[in-house]
Amino acid sequence: MALLIHFLACLFGTGSWMAINGVWVELPLLVNRLPEGWYLPSYLIILIQLANVGPLFVALMHKWKPRLLGEASVICVLVSMGTVACFLLAFLWDRTTVVAGSQRSAAFFALTFVLSLVDCTSSVTFLPFMMRLHPQYVPTFFVGEGLSGLIPALFALAQGSGISRCLNVTIPQNNTVANATLGNVTVADVDFHTKTQYFPANFSSLVFFLILSAMMFSCLVAFVSLNRLPKAWDLSTQNLCASDVTLTSVQKIPAGRRGPAELGDVTNRPADGPMASSAKGVDSADLEKVTHSRAEFAFVYSLVAWVNALTNGILPSVQSYSCLPYGNVAYHLAATLSSVANPLACTVATFLPSRSLPTLGTLALTGTAFGAYIMAMAAMSPCPLLQRSEWGDAVVVASWVLFTGTLSYVKVMTGVILRSHSHSALVWYGAVEQLGSLLGAVVMFPLVSVYSLFRSADFCSFQCPA
């Protein structure tokens, strides 16, 4: 039954950020229909950050009233809200309302805020729920979380969201209309230039949001199934990914080191529900825990904050500036392949796990280096290095893939490390994850939207100086 639990854990993980990721990849179509136009992404950033009141509320309730909120009930309500909001968004996304004399997408913003609230709060509820299962299912959950970005991206590609081409056009001067042969108009009377032409979508936004609603409903079914697993099944520890490779050894608690129960807020709390006894009956090696000092805990949580600031706040804000100067093909490859890199990194973490803090720190520095190159190309937009060169396209796409892959591995392993300590440690993992994302977005929003430090230009018509 281990295979079934792995499947359910993965499906449960897909609901973590499925809705908001779906809205983001649909933006190339939405901005052409909604009155806010290309200001729409800026408004969405504000909505998503406002939705962080959800995880803040849950974290504070866990701190002061840990027994008041039922974890399973909160998750059930959240996923149900996400399912209904996606369904309503399919029919109401293009409805506008007059606000202060201007047409505004009130229905779209209201429903998107609900989806943001669901996804942000999932960071402090979904992963702590996984505490009830055997530790081997935690990487599988992260695979599902990675798929929450990949699946909407694949549907967007099938839809043809934002696909375009460069088209040569001629504009007669002096308001003279020219036919296909330019008639009596001479070449001197005609202006030649290139413009971007977007292809029509293969299916509508209504169908896209209905697909998102169906995926959120499947997440709800997976959660209910996990929450009601018979005790004989939730104890399954069958090794589905046997490997003789051991990167680091698990050490017993050395004398003089602090255990998780002695680290203030990071305390052990018993899990409630039918799977609370999942730790019983497993191999002794599974119960053996590594303990860390306060400094090591601080390092782990610092990694969590930094990695999520980069992957959820800082670099996504400049993805278009870093990729579009190389063309629409480079942009779509970077967006899609980086989405593939996330679940792939989670799969690698399942087969080749490493809890070594120096190793994770090195990987975080490596991912940061790729992120620095991406940021440099965005800062140089619309004329980055190796523009209109196949090498430039390849390097920027590879940078996005390696940036996402290395930092996704770090996120998974920090979650696994904290999973081995306590339920409370995972709750604070989610809180720090959202804090890092919030700080990254707060830093980048004024730089991009207020001070306009990053410049955009149409790839087809803009010519960089030699």
Side-chain angles (χ1 to χ4, degrees):
M1 294 301 170
L3 181 60
L4 174 61
I5 301 177
H6 273 290
F7 173 75
L8 292 176
C10 182
L11 194 59
F12 175 54
T14 59
S16 57
W17 287 94
M18 173 75 71
I20 287 300
N21 285 331
V23 172
W24 274 105
V25 298
E26 191 69 1
L27 281 181
L29 289 181
L30 301 183
V31 294
N32 295 323
R33 296 283 304 276
L34 297 181
E36 291 76 14
W38 283 105
Y39 288 103
L40 198 58
S42 299
Y43 293 133
L44 290 186
I45 290 176
I46 296 175
L47 285 177
I48 293 173
Q49 300 315 316
L50 289 176
N52 277 299
V53 297
L56 177 62
F57 173 76
V58 172
L60 292 177
M61 291 298 294
H62 177 79
K63 173 68 176 179
W64 302 111
K65 300 288 184 180
R67 300 292 183 180
L68 188 60
L69 286 181
E71 194 170 68
S73 300
V74 172
I75 294 176
C76 188
V77 170
L78 285 175
V79 182
S80 299
M81 287 172 55
T83 303
V84 174
C86 284
F87 182 81
L88 294 177
L89 198 59
F91 300 95
L92 302 177
W93 68 269
D94 57 348
R95 302 293 179 89
T96 59
T97 305
V98 177
V99 178
S102 301
Q103 292 288 335
R104 297 296 179 187
S105 307
F108 175 80
F109 287 137
L111 293 172
T112 301
F113 177 77
V114 173
L115 295 179
S116 302
L117 191 65
V118 170
D119 289 0
C120 290
T121 311
S122 71
S123 297
V124 293
T125 53
F126 281 27
L127 191 55
F129 173 80
M130 294 300 296
M131 182 74 180
R132 304 184 180 190
L133 299 179
H134 189 272
Q136 68 174 347
Y137 301 117
V138 174
T140 306
F141 169 83
F142 278 106
V143 171
E145 190 177 71
L147 291 175
S148 70
L150 173 62
I151 293 174
L154 293 179
F155 279 116
L157 286 178
Q159 185 187 26
S161 175
I163 301 298
S164 63
R165 68 174 179 177
C166 295
L167 183 68
N168 292 322
V169 296
T170 58
I171 301 180
Q173 297 178 353
N174 301 324
N175 296 323
T176 304
V177 179
N179 56 25
T181 60
L182 297 181
N184 297 325
V185 181
T186 64
V187 174
D189 297 325
V190 178
D191 288 334
F192 295 90
H193 75 282
T194 305
K195 73 173 184 178
T196 303
Q197 181 187 52
Y198 290 93
F199 293 100
N202 296 321
F203 53 87
S204 67
S205 296
L206 182 147
V207 175
F208 182 85
F209 287 124
L210 288 178
I211 293 173
L212 288 185
S213 181
M215 293 300 301
M216 290 299 295
F217 181 75
S218 67
C219 170
L220 178 62
V221 172
F223 165 71
V224 173
S225 301
L226 287 174
N227 196 42
R228 296 181 178 272
L229 277 179
K231 292 182 180 181
W233 288 14
D234 71 358
L235 297 179
S236 175
T237 59
Q238 177 184 351
N239 189 1
L240 298 181
C241 48
S243 175
D244 294 330
V245 179
T246 302
L247 297 183
T248 59
S249 61
V250 179
Q251 301 175 351
K252 294 183 178 180
I253 298 175
R257 299 296 290 275
R258 295 177 180 264
E262 304 175 26
L263 292 174
D265 292 338
V266 187
T267 59
N268 262 320
R269 298 185 185 275
D272 301 326
M275 287 173 283
S277 60
S278 63
K280 301 178 182 178
V282 299
D283 297 338
S284 60
D286 295 326
L287 294 175
E288 198 171 23
K289 295 181 179 180
V290 176
T291 184
H292 298 285
S293 66
R294 287 182 181 272
E296 289 171 331
F297 263 108
F299 176 72
V300 171
Y301 281 114
S302 297
L303 277 183
V304 173
W306 175 247
V307 166
N308 282 280
L310 289 177
T311 57
N312 298 338
I314 297 177
L315 270 302
S317 301
V318 297
Q319 186 175 42
S320 58
Y321 295 97
S322 66
C323 297
L324 278 178
Y326 295 98
N328 286 280
V329 174
Y331 175 75
H332 282 285
L333 285 177
T336 306
L337 295 182
S338 61
S339 297
V340 174
N342 192 323
L344 182 60
C346 298
T347 305
V348 171
T350 302
F351 286 89
L352 297 174
S354 173
R355 300 189 182 195
S356 168
L357 296 186
T359 300
L360 296 180
T362 302
L363 288 175
L365 286 176
T366 303
T368 302
F370 288 117
Y373 176 82
I374 294 170
M375 181 62 69
M377 296 305 100
M380 298 174 65
S381 175
C383 299
L385 298 177
L386 300 176
Q387 189 186 34
R388 302 188 185 279
S389 166
E390 293 182 356
W391 283 105
D393 299 4
V395 171
V396 74
V397 171
S399 296
W400 270 104
V401 171
L402 294 174
F403 163 78
T404 304
T406 53
L407 296 189
S408 295
Y409 183 92
V410 174
K411 284 198 288 187
V412 172
M413 293 314 304
T414 52
V416 170
I417 290 173
L418 296 174
R419 162 62 179 82
S420 68
H421 284 281
S422 69
H423 176 276
S424 181
L426 285 183
V427 173
W428 287 108
Y429 171 93
V432 174
E433 179 183 39
Q434 288 306 113
L435 177 62
S437 303
L438 172 62
L439 292 177
V442 167
V443 168
M444 292 305 299
F445 178 76
L447 298 180
V448 175
S449 302
V450 178
Y451 298 107
S452 301
L453 296 184
F454 299 89
R455 297 174 55 202
S456 60
D458 184 84
F459 172 76
C460 294
S461 60
F462 186 81
Q463 295 293 328
C464 291

